[in-house]
Amino acid sequence: MAYDDQNIFAKILRGEIPCNKVFENDHVLAFHDIHPQAPTHILVIPKGAYTDVADFGENASPDEVSGFWSAVSQIADENDLKGDGFRVIANTGLNGGQEVPHFHAHILGGKALGPMLSKAA
Ligand code: AMP
């Protein structure tokens, strides 16, 4: 799938739409999800144009990949999630229920999150 530079996270990266920023460095921007599904719900996005985690894994540079996952760990630490634990989700494509076609990791925590998936198969 070609990258759509009109997606909402691309607009946030360009500063065309505001976000509630929690972290930024050369590689990533992180901000609070607008519809939080846990007491802490942070989205981490790379600054590069990647549609999903597969595109990111195949095409991002080693610096981008390591910068991204280091940032996820740092953000979890800075938001006091490491002690009690947290969950990282990367919804991907149609079956994954991905809504925004710019790769992002959800960091969820602040309470026991229950089973990973609903029981309905
Ligand atoms: P996904 O289904 O993995 O693509 O998740 C997209 C997420 O982006 C959802 O949890 C939305 O609530 C969130 N979202 C959409 N627009 C915004 C926005 N402008 N600021 C922050 N989060 C957003």
Side-chain angles (χ1 to χ4, degrees), residues 8-9 31-35 43 91 97-100 104 106:
I8 197 150
F9 294 170
F31 47 90
H32 291 288
D33 196 292
I34 205 166
H35 297 303
L43 299 171
N91 295 321
Q98 183 178 2
E99 292 170 7
V100 179
H104 50 282
H106 298 252

